[in-house]
Amino acid sequence: MSWFFLIFMAKRYLFILMMQLNCVILEDEPLARAVLVSLLQSQPNLTLLAAFSRAEEATDFFLTHPEVDLLFLDVELNGTSGIDFYRQLPYKPVSYTHLRAHETKAN
């Protein structure tokens, strides 16, 4: 998946939202995280509560912040799975979207 596609899908998803939502990003790739932070901050109906690169940090945040509505979650995190992270959350955000970007080689 290219960066362009990731940005396009994130923008498309954001335009669909019509209510005020509290968001959290869990993405270990710095550039992808920065792009998402920028996109979310440009949306008046989205409040970015936090952006994390490690699941451990995000877990601690979720224990004390039950107001998260939307989670942008990387499928493959360093050392753990985004799916496993989501399963162990003490509560589930209203919605979440999986993020995945990887390089592919042309033949």
Side-chain angles (χ1 to χ4, degrees):
M1 178 183 315
S2 70
W3 285 109
F4 174 77
F5 182 73
L6 175 66
I7 293 168
F8 170 77
M9 291 304 293
K11 281 187 174 182
R12 191 176 114 189
Y13 190 76
L14 294 176
F15 287 122
I16 294 170
L17 301 174
M18 300 304 286
M19 55 192 249
Q20 187 67 35
L21 296 174
N22 294 319
C23 306
V24 169
I25 298 169
L26 177 53
E27 167 62 65
D28 58 353
E29 189 65 37
L31 182 57
R33 191 172 55 253
V35 168
L36 284 169
V37 165
S38 178
L39 285 171
L40 293 177
Q41 289 176 337
S42 71
Q43 300 301 311
N45 56 336
L46 299 176
T47 301
L48 179 61
L49 299 177
F52 299 101
S53 61
R54 297 178 341 131
E56 298 81 18
E57 298 167 337
T59 299
D60 293 342
F61 181 85
F62 273 91
L63 291 173
T64 58
H65 294 82
E67 68 274 12
V68 177
D69 300 309
L70 179 60
L71 172 62
F72 290 85
L73 178 63
D74 189 356
V75 173
E76 291 183 18
L77 297 164
N78 288 334
T80 189
S81 158
I83 305 298
D84 291 340
F85 167 81
Y86 185 78
R87 287 182 182 145
Q88 61 85 33
L89 286 176
Y91 69 92
K92 306 298 187 244
V94 172
S95 181
Y96 72 97
T97 185
H98 293 284
L99 305 173
R100 176 153 181 150
H102 59 86
E103 293 183 24
T104 57
K105 294 181 181 180
N107 291 331

